[in-house]
Amino acid sequence: MMRRKLPSVAGGARGFTLVELMVAMVGGLFVSMTVFAIAKHSSSFSMQQSRIADATLQTTVGFERLRNDISRAGFLSTPNIVDDPAVCRGAVYPTWLRRLASIYIEPVPLDRLSTESTVNGFTPQRIVLAGSYNSGNEFAVRKIEPGPPVQVLLQPNRLGMVDIGYPGAPTAATLSKVFTTGRILRLVDTSGRVQFGEIAGVVDGPEPAITLSVSPAVQFRSGSGVGCGINGFAVGGVANVVNIIRYDLRNLNDGTQPSYAPMFRGGPSYESTRQELIREEIDLNGNPLEGTLELISEYAVDLGFSLFVSEGNAAVKAVSPADVPLYAGVPGTLADGQGPQRIRAVRAWLSTRSQEADRNAQVKYTPAVPGPPLLRMSLDPKDPNLPPFARVRTLQSTVALNNQASIPW
């Protein structure tokens, strides 16, 4: 049997030795590790910049929401219930109805300030706005039954009702989209006089009606001792809801908002002390209405306002932040010639910080307009000059109050 001869190796050619193979593998491993490290850091940097961009976008969107709400202040409401000559007084009003105004500004209470604010010297404010925010319509009144309780019957086929889904869906849920219990109902009679009541409930069906609380009482001309009130059954009058909206800085990690708890799981220690800009609706006693809290902007560190006012026939002038309470304070406690009805524009600013502490040095500057003088803020709970530092962004805008552009009183 013949044996097959294997081909010989070409002269001078040979394979890799074990040492050469190991050197090549180790070299390749180092190259792979280097490429992986570069890719990891690039990905981390890209994710960091993406989070910064998302935070900036969210801050911008949140600030636009605040601007739009400020511009709507006083719409289908009153700029100052104490001095408004159109208001028919006589009833005993609850706290926040007694001080109803287009704009009210106050400092955030000291016990609510975060460590971030106190350490870095922020003095944030909160703003309360009143106006018709859930609907831009006035609702035609069919008649008002004196009760008790007082019931305001609405025309079911007019624009305001059709806009909220009536009479296509003649249910209590449809009415409660706007006429929510605890909100203010503004009534305007055929003479132009205004009254305010508190919504206690709704009646659905073909004859929709709003039931008012016994207090504050609605004034009727027949039994009024103040020279004004509803005449007859108020046929031809109109009604609308007035919302009281509050913007505030708040730590949502206080146990009262369990739906936001996942935001604070894990992360560095300073994550638990962060604050957010929130928007909520409050009732006539200043209590939040359930289900109205909204997170507007994360990682908020400062919110502030200054004003432009007109006193009588004088030209519009700027008001320093220190004098804001003279015009945006509690109605009835302010001097003659002052008050929220004099406000013609609001300058607002919102400052937020980056999610991550990514700087080791402080940077301060002198802003050209009111606002915090920080480009970076310390996240150290005790010393504003110690790292780590987070970047601070501030958005500012002057918002005209068109609803108060020509108030003469």
Side-chain angles (χ1 to χ4, degrees), residues 41-392:
H41 287 294
S42 297
S43 177
S44 176
F45 179 77
S46 176
M47 291 294 292
Q48 182 186 63
Q49 295 303 309
S50 176
R51 287 194 294 269
I52 292 174
D54 289 343
T56 301
L57 177 61
Q58 184 192 66
T59 300
T60 303
V61 173
F63 190 63
E64 281 300 307
R65 180 77 178 279
L66 172 62
R67 288 182 68 254
N68 289 336
D69 280 353
I70 291 175
S71 68
R72 197 179 176 94
F75 178 61
L76 295 181
S77 180
T78 174
N80 182 346
I81 195 171
V82 174
D83 296 333
D84 192 341
V87 174
C88 179
R89 299 172 183 83
V92 178
Y93 287 152
T95 303
W96 277 91
L97 185 51
R98 192 163 58 246
R99 59 191 288 182
L100 184 65
S102 55
I103 292 179
Y104 171 68
I105 298 172
E106 66 175 348
V108 173
L110 293 177
D111 60 350
R112 295 274 301 278
L113 287 178
S114 69
T115 302
E116 293 178 354
S117 295
T118 54
V119 167
N120 290 278
F122 293 118
T123 56
Q125 298 171 304
R126 57 185 182 182
I127 187 170
V128 178
L129 307 167
S132 183
Y133 285 92
N134 284 74
S135 173
N137 298 306
E138 291 182 301
F139 297 81
V141 173
R142 188 161 64 87
K143 68 176 179 176
I144 296 181
E145 297 282 3
V150 172
Q151 283 196 329
V152 181
L153 281 70
L154 304 176
Q155 296 278 7
N157 297 304
R158 296 293 181 87
L159 173 61
M161 296 292 283
V162 174
D163 190 36
I164 67 174
Y166 226 88
T171 65
T174 301
L175 291 171
S176 295
K177 291 178 184 177
V178 175
F179 302 100
T180 304
T181 300
R183 285 177 174 164
I184 300 169
L185 187 72
R186 172 178 173 262
L187 297 171
V188 185
D189 61 29
T190 52
S191 68
R193 300 301 294 272
V194 177
Q195 295 189 58
F196 298 93
E198 181 181 7
I199 298 174
V202 296
V203 178
D204 56 11
E207 297 186 351
I210 312 303
T211 302
L212 299 182
S213 298
V214 175
S215 179
V218 174
Q219 301 290 318
F220 286 87
R221 184 71 61 86
S222 57
S224 174
V226 292
C228 62
I230 301 297
N231 191 19
F233 290 103
V235 177
V238 293
N240 67 273
V241 170
V242 176
N243 311 95
I244 307 177
I245 305 297
R246 178 165 58 199
Y247 278 86
D248 196 3
L249 297 191
R250 186 172 303 176
N251 182 350
L252 298 179
N253 191 34
D254 59 1
T256 62
Q257 303 293 330
S259 59
Y260 293 100
M263 294 169 48
F264 305 96
R265 293 173 184 167
S269 59
Y270 53 75
E271 188 75 3
S272 62
T273 62
R274 57 187 265 199
Q275 288 188 313
E276 334 296 335
L277 175 64
I278 63 99
R279 179 189 190 270
E280 63 184 350
E281 187 174 350
I282 60 177
D283 63 18
L284 303 187
N285 295 306
N287 301 314
L289 288 177
E290 185 178 357
T292 62
L293 188 145
E294 300 177 61
L295 196 163
I296 300 299
S297 185
E298 296 184 78
Y299 300 98
V301 296
D302 193 32
L303 178 67
F305 308 92
S306 62
L307 305 175
F308 295 87
V309 304
S310 174
E311 296 181 343
N313 296 322
V316 174
K317 68 176 184 178
V319 173
S320 69
D323 290 334
V324 164
L326 300 179
Y327 296 90
V330 178
T333 65
L334 308 176
D336 292 340
Q338 298 176 345
Q341 74 275 10
R342 299 293 185 182
I343 302 174
R344 298 296 181 258
V346 176
R347 175 179 284 153
W349 62 88
L350 169 65
S351 296
T352 60
R353 69 166 175 85
S354 57
Q355 178 180 0
E356 299 174 336
D358 57 354
R359 293 293 187 270
N360 291 312
Q362 178 64 281
V363 176
K364 297 183 179 181
Y365 76 115
T366 302
V369 292
L374 294 177
L375 290 176
R376 298 173 193 167
M377 58 173 285
S378 173
L379 297 180
D380 187 281
K382 297 180 180 180
D383 194 330
N385 298 310
L386 292 179
F389 294 94
R391 283 177 277 189
V392 176

